Amino acid sequence: AEYPHIMISVIVVDSPYFSPLDERGNFTIPNVPDGKATLKVWTRGGWAHKDEVDTTKKDDFNIKVATPSDKDVAE
């Protein structure tokens, strides 16, 4: 309600590993098993980011996600 122009959803399929964003746009996914994983971010009707990550590294990392344009969402 405070930011009606912001519409973000996260979709996780067949996985217990997910997280909502905090007020600053950060998230943490605890207890992810070691190995390779695919991080996907969904926003405004489209995949905004997809990245293969190595979960054996316990370091923090940053990603910048741009909202897909209306044209991208329609395709």
Side-chain angles (χ1 to χ4, degrees):
E2 186 175 348
Y3 303 103
H5 61 284
I6 297 176
M7 300 180 322
I8 297 176
S9 301
V10 176
I11 299 171
V12 179
V13 180
D14 296 331
S15 175
Y17 307 106
F18 64 91
S19 178
L21 299 177
D22 67 15
E23 65 279 352
R24 297 182 64 194
N26 299 314
F27 65 93
T28 300
I29 304 174
N31 304 317
V32 175
D34 290 347
K36 301 287 183 183
T38 303
L39 172 66
K40 293 182 180 181
V41 178
W42 176 274
T43 181
R44 295 191 183 205
W47 292 110
H49 184 84
K50 180 178 175 182
D51 199 7
E52 298 296 321
V53 294
D54 181 358
T55 62
T56 59
K57 299 177 181 177
K58 301 303 180 188
D59 299 331
D60 291 346
F61 67 96
N62 295 308
I63 58 172
K64 300 281 186 194
V65 177
T67 303
S69 69
D70 291 337
K71 179 182 177 239
D72 293 337
V73 173
E75 293 177 359

